[in-house]
Amino acid sequence: MAGVVPAGCGPAPGRHCRAGPRSCAPLSLPVAEHSRAAGLTGLPPTPAGISPTASARSPSSAPAGSPNQAGEVDMRLAGPLRIVALVVTVGLTWIVVSILLGGPGSGFPRIQQLFTSPENPGTAEPRARKYKCGLPQPCPEEHLAFRMVSGAANVIGPKICLEDKMLMSSVQDNVGRGLNVALVNGVSGELIEARAFDMWAGDVNDLLKFIRPLHEGTLVFVASYDDPATKMNEETRKLFSDLGSRNVKDLAFRDSWVFVGAKGVQNKSPFEQHVKNSKHTNKYEGWPEALEMEGCIPRRTTAR
C-alpha cells in the first residue's frame, strides 16, 4: 500500500522504500515531487527536510504556519482558570485565618491557646483591681487606708503606707534598726513626723521625747526592724499601752511587731500583730517572719 514503509527499511536520506521483499532503492524524486507523492497518500504536505516517515506517524500534526486551534483554546481558558484558582486560594486563606483568629472582634484567643502552655495561659483572667496602698477593697468614706510591713531580719527595711503615700521605707531612706514610728494627724491624714529609733545601741530617751507630747487624736504607726525591744523600759511600754497596744508588754529581742494606735483611745487597738523570736519557729536564721498588716482607720472628728 502506498505510503507504508516496509519493516527493516530506515528513513535514511536519499532512499525510498518500494513494495517488494524488503528492498530499498535510492530516492530519485526531487523534493517538490516528493511532496506531491506524499500528498497522494492523504497526508498533509511535509515540509522540506522532514522525512515522509515522520509525517506518516503524525497525521494530526498541523503544518508549520497553520493555526493550532487546540492551543488557542488552551490559551483562552488559561486566564479565567488562573483567576478562579486565585479566588479559591484567597477564600480558603480567609476561612483558615478567621478560624484561627476566632472570628471577627475576638482578637487572638485561639492562636494564644495554641502557643501558650497551660501553666501560663494567654487568656488568664485580669488582675484584681488594687486600691489605695494596694488594698483589695476600697475603704469606706471618712476612713484612712493603710498598709504596713515590718522589717525582714536585718536585711529588708519596713514600709508604712497611708492613703497611697509612702510614709516610711528604704526608698524614702528614713527607716532604721529598732522602731520606725510615723505620727499622723487623725483628722486630715497628713504626716506630722516620721523617725527611726535604734533600740539596740541607741538612747531610749529619744523615743520617749518623741511620743510623750502627743496631742489627742494623733495616730501612731509603728513597724519593727531587726531588734525593737532591747532598750525598751517600763515607761516606754506604758506609753505604747496607753496608745492601745496589747503586746508591747511582751515585746522582746528581735521580735516582729506592727502596731497602729492613737492618743486618747478608750479601748485596745484592733490593728496590731506580734511574732516572738524563737529558734523553733523563726523563718529566717535568728529572726521571725516579717509581718504585714492593712486596713481602714476611721478619721478622728477633732484633734487637739
Side-chain angles (χ1 to χ4, degrees):
M1 181 180 296
V4 179
V5 179
C9 293
R15 298 178 65 89
H16 177 69
C17 296
R18 299 178 181 176
R22 304 176 64 87
S23 62
C24 294
L27 182 62
S28 59
L29 292 175
V31 173
E33 294 179 359
H34 175 118
S35 300
R36 287 196 299 271
L40 295 176
T41 63
L43 298 177
T46 303
I50 300 179
S51 67
T53 306
S55 298
R57 287 197 298 266
S58 303
S60 63
S61 299
S66 64
N68 189 338
Q69 296 181 356
E72 290 182 356
V73 173
D74 291 342
M75 291 299 294
R76 287 196 296 269
L77 292 177
L81 288 176
R82 289 177 183 175
I83 294 175
V84 172
L86 179 61
V87 172
V88 172
T89 302
V90 172
L92 291 176
T93 303
W94 175 257
I95 293 173
V96 172
V97 171
S98 299
I99 293 174
L100 290 177
L101 297 183
S106 62
F108 302 90
R110 298 193 182 182
I111 289 182
Q112 291 175 346
Q113 291 175 2
L114 291 175
F115 296 100
T116 306
S117 62
E119 294 79 6
N120 185 25
T123 56
E125 295 183 0
R127 294 180 180 178
R129 180 180 176 184
K130 296 294 184 181
Y131 297 88
K132 292 180 179 179
C133 293
L135 269 63
Q137 295 180 348
C139 288
E141 291 185 6
E142 300 303 322
H143 283 69
L144 302 173
F146 80 93
R147 181 175 179 268
M148 54 197 308
V149 183
S150 69
N154 62 346
V155 179
I156 302 175
K159 296 179 182 178
I160 300 177
C161 175
L162 180 70
E163 287 292 286
D164 249 5
K165 297 179 181 179
M166 194 63 68
L167 305 184
M168 302 189 75
S169 70
S170 298
V171 175
Q172 301 288 104
D173 195 25
N174 60 351
V175 297
R177 179 176 63 180
L179 294 177
N180 296 267
V181 185
L183 305 181
V184 174
N185 186 307
V187 177
S188 65
E190 296 296 324
L191 176 66
I192 299 172
E193 191 174 358
R195 286 183 59 185
F197 300 91
D198 189 345
M199 303 304 290
W200 167 256
D203 187 350
V204 70
N205 289 312
D206 295 337
L207 175 60
L208 291 173
K209 292 176 183 178
F210 189 69
I211 59 177
R212 276 175 185 159
L214 294 181
H215 298 291
E216 193 84 10
T218 302
L219 299 176
V220 182
F221 294 79
V222 185
S224 66
Y225 183 27
D226 191 359
D227 176 26
T230 297
K231 290 295 183 76
M232 189 172 283
N233 56 22
E234 288 302 318
E235 184 182 1
T236 309
R237 295 179 191 274
K238 184 180 185 305
L239 286 174
F240 279 115
S241 180
D242 291 342
L243 295 172
S245 173
R246 298 174 183 272
N247 304 118
V248 67
K249 62 182 183 296
D250 300 320
L251 200 62
F253 173 71
R254 287 187 176 178
D255 287 359
S256 289
W257 183 44
V258 287
F259 166 68
V260 181
K263 180 71 173 181
V265 295
Q266 301 299 320
N267 301 308
K268 295 301 181 183
S269 171
F271 305 112
E272 185 176 23
Q273 293 182 18
H274 175 220
V275 176
K276 298 290 292 181
N277 169 27
S278 171
K279 63 180 181 180
H280 302 293
T281 59
N282 282 347
K283 182 175 182 179
Y284 310 106
E285 185 179 353
W287 289 270
E289 63 181 325
L291 294 174
E292 181 176 343
M293 184 171 64
E294 60 188 27
C296 304
I297 303 172
R299 291 179 184 268
R300 304 299 296 264
T301 55
T302 59
R304 292 183 298 173

